[in-house]
Each structure stands twice: as structure tokens, then as C-alpha cells.
Amino acid sequence: MSFLLGVAIFVVALLVSIMLHEAGHFATAKMFGMKATQFFVGFGRTVWSRQRGETEYGVKAIPAGGFVKIVGMTDLEDVDPADEPRSFRKQPGWQRIIVLAAGSFMHFALAFVLLFIVAGGIGLESAGSGTSVGTVESCVPANLHLGCVKGDPASPASKAGVRVGDKIVSIAGIRVNTWSQMGEAIRDQQAGHVVPVVVDRHGHLVTLHTALARLTGHGSYLGVSPPLVFQRAGPVGAVSSAGHQFWQMLSGSASVVASLPKAIPDLFAKNRANTPGGQVTSVVGAGDVTGQVLEARIGWQPKVDLVLLIIASLNIFVGAFNLLPLLPLDGGHLAVVIYERARAWLARLLGRPDPGPVDYRRLVPVSVGVFALLVGIGLLLIMADLVNPVHILQ
């Protein structure tokens, strides 16, 4: 039930994100006096609709997107002469740019609000003081960001019998009083060598022995982490934290797109989680991960934090991806408008007549090709997430 609840939460969040995206286009278009005749969530057969004024609002059968119909988006569209003054194509360039960018802006705004709530409302994780063990990791993860996945070897701490609540006293004879000192003591040891680990367990010193593992990019690894406390930031701190996490997620989105060519061959590999294929996912995979988070045996605060971070990350990725200068994405239409205005400015500078709008008929093959490519990649990711999902063990 927890897993299904997580998936349901993700689906609802996805639909809300779509509605906000389209609301951005719709509200700005109406603000500038453009005529918008339809506002729909979904594609395919109409399930429900209602006419209010000049706009039909509705829901379609396939909840995989949405659209706002603004009159005269391109010169390929036939427009009633009475509506031509209110058509999209007749408005100033700066107004068209705002309307086109408003969808991605809504994604970014929603993500920022969610990140603010995480920092200021739920609280951010911070390590407790001392050397008490808050978590004994079950494995040696091949990818520290993904955590434990099936097939990863057991961690040295779990093999040795370290328990939650133990206080680490010394490692390999080196006394430690802080997690920083403990980290240094662990890194000073050679992976594979058995070392004594002394813990204070309910007031009694217990000596355990284990061979430290090697964690790629981090050196020797024991597999323990401190108890976490959640600290809420003030308004200024929450804004700062949200801005920092927003930038990190935006950079991560760029990395995901850049790594996509390398990831595709690994989507159906047995060890997908430990390859670039484990770094990319479809909405199906994201919904699955959200379900896993709700099902995990962790406190409510980390659950809420993780779910909100997943939704924020999704919105940042979609908002940024939608601004790529590729038709039929909003970024492609933005590029056309900017090109038209730059060309008109240059013509005016040279004393020549305005060359007018771009001939969209020449762009149709490119638009169809890009659309087919995006659909193909999307279906491939969905198939991979269905038959070869990434399972994160908690």
C-alpha cells in the first residue's frame, strides 16, 4: 500500500506540474490579449470538457501531457480575420517570448517552492555530534549516490556486527572522538586488511574485527553513518538552500542529458544501477522510485524530503529540457522568435525591409524528426524501467 501511495503521489504531482506549465502559457497569453480557445490536460479522446467564455477547458484520456491552444501560433494556421489581431503571431516579439517561456518558468517556480519547503518546513539532514552510529550500511555501494542495489557486497560494518547506537571508540588502535577523526582513521587503513574496531555498547567496550572495503573514489570504507537530525532553516537560510539545491539539480539535469548516449546501451544491462543507464529514467521509473521511498523503513521527515526532492528535480529537468532550441519544444519556438527579431533588427540596421516571419513549412521535417526521436527515447526508457528497473534497497 505504501508503494502504491508513493506512485499515486507522483502521478498527482506530475499532473499538477503539467497543469501549471499550461497555466503559465495560458495566463500570460490572456494577459497580453491573445485568444486562447482550449486548455486541456492530457491527449487523445476528450473525457470531460466545459466551455467558459471563449475557452474550452477539459481533460483527455491519456495523462501524458497537456496543451493550450493559442490562435495563430504559426503562419501555417488559418485564422479567422476577426481573430487575427489577437493571434499569437501578430504580437510583439517580447510578448511572444514571455508566453513561450512561461511554461518552464512555472516548473522552475514550483521546484523552488518545494525546495524552500524542504529547507524551511521539513528540515535538512545534519549529522549528530560524537561518534554514535545512526546507520549501519548494508552494502558497499558501487555508486554512492544510488545507494545499495542488488548484487552489492555486504559492508564491513555489517559483517563485523556493528549496531545502531554503538559509539565508535577506536579504529585500528586510533582513538576517535568525532566523525571527522573517524573518517581520517578509516582512510589511513589499507582496504582488505583486517582491523580492530572498538565500540562502546551500553557502557561496555566491545572489540570487533573486519576487513575494510574500497569504495570507488573515496578510499577505504567501513559502512557506518552518524544519526541524523533535521534542522529547519529560517526564511533567508531556506531561500539560500533552495537556490543552492536548484543550481545543483539544474547542473545535474545537464549532466543527465549529456550522458544519455552512453546510458542507452546500459539500460537493459543486469548491473544497470552501476552504469550510466542507472542515472536516467522515465516518469515510470521516477514513479517507481517514489513508491520505494514511501515503502522504505525510514522516518516521515526523510520520506517527505525525498519525495519533494524527486518532484522538484523532475520539474527542473522538464523545465530546462523544454527550453532546448529544438522544435516542437517551447525552446524551439523561442529560438524562431528570437531569430525573427534579430533578422528584423539587422534588416532595419541595413535599411532593408523586414523579411517577415520564418517559413515554418521548412521547419516541419525537422520538427517531426525531433518529435519522433523524443518519443523513441521516451518509449525506450519506459520499457527499460518496466523490464529492468533500478531497485534501491533501504
Side-chain angles (χ1 to χ4, degrees), residues 41-335:
V41 174
F43 297 111
R45 183 177 60 85
T46 299
V47 176
W48 170 88
S49 71
R50 176 172 294 178
Q51 187 77 29
R52 294 214 171 182
E54 63 185 13
T55 306
E56 180 187 12
Y57 302 86
V59 177
K60 290 187 175 287
I62 305 173
F67 67 93
V68 169
K69 174 65 175 175
I70 303 174
V71 169
M73 283 293 295
T74 72
D75 281 347
L76 299 178
E77 182 182 341
D78 291 328
V79 177
D80 188 319
D83 292 332
E84 188 64 45
R86 296 180 61 200
S87 68
F88 177 84
R89 62 195 178 204
K90 288 298 183 182
Q91 309 312 310
W94 66 271
Q95 291 185 2
R96 287 182 282 161
I97 287 173
I98 290 175
V99 171
L100 290 169
S104 286
F105 173 81
M106 294 300 286
H107 285 297
F108 294 150
L110 174 60
F112 191 89
V113 168
L114 293 178
L115 294 174
F116 180 88
I117 291 173
V118 167
I122 309 302
L124 295 173
E125 291 182 354
S126 61
S129 59
T131 57
S132 295
V133 176
T135 304
V136 178
E137 305 299 341
S138 61
C139 76
V140 181
N143 187 313
L144 196 58
H145 298 291
L146 278 178
C148 293
V149 297
K150 289 180 179 178
D152 287 339
S155 73
S158 63
K159 287 181 179 179
V162 177
R163 301 176 186 176
V164 172
D166 285 350
K167 180 179 179 181
I168 307 292
V169 176
S170 67
I171 295 177
I174 303 172
R175 190 168 185 84
V176 295
N177 296 304
T178 65
W179 278 90
S180 176
Q181 292 177 357
M182 190 192 310
E184 292 178 7
I186 293 172
R187 287 189 292 272
D188 285 344
Q189 310 308 310
Q190 187 173 348
H193 286 199
V194 176
V195 298
V197 178
V198 179
V199 302
D200 182 338
R201 182 174 295 167
H202 307 303
H204 300 285
L205 294 181
V206 179
T207 301
L208 309 171
H209 295 84
T210 189
L212 298 178
R214 176 166 294 281
L215 185 62
T216 304
H218 294 269
S220 296
Y221 178 75
L222 178 60
V224 292
S225 54
L228 297 176
V229 295
F230 284 80
Q231 295 182 331
R232 294 183 179 91
V236 175
V239 169
S240 176
S241 175
H244 177 69
Q245 290 194 74
F246 186 99
W247 175 250
Q248 283 189 321
M249 289 182 176
L250 186 61
S251 302
S253 297
S255 299
V256 167
V257 174
S259 67
L260 191 57
K262 292 191 299 183
I264 289 177
D266 297 319
L267 289 176
F268 298 94
K270 288 184 178 179
N271 63 334
R272 175 188 173 188
N274 302 326
T275 69
Q279 306 298 317
V280 296
T281 186
S282 66
V283 291
V284 172
D288 179 62
V289 170
T290 307
Q292 292 182 49
V293 169
L294 264 290
E295 197 175 35
R297 294 180 178 180
I298 55 178
W300 72 269
Q301 285 175 301
K303 282 186 180 183
V304 174
D305 271 0
L306 287 170
V307 170
L308 293 182
L309 290 173
I310 290 170
I311 297 170
S313 179
L314 171 74
N315 276 275
I316 290 172
F317 177 81
V318 172
F321 187 82
N322 196 49
L323 290 177
L324 290 177
L326 300 170
L327 289 169
L329 301 176
D330 289 340
H333 291 286
L334 273 169

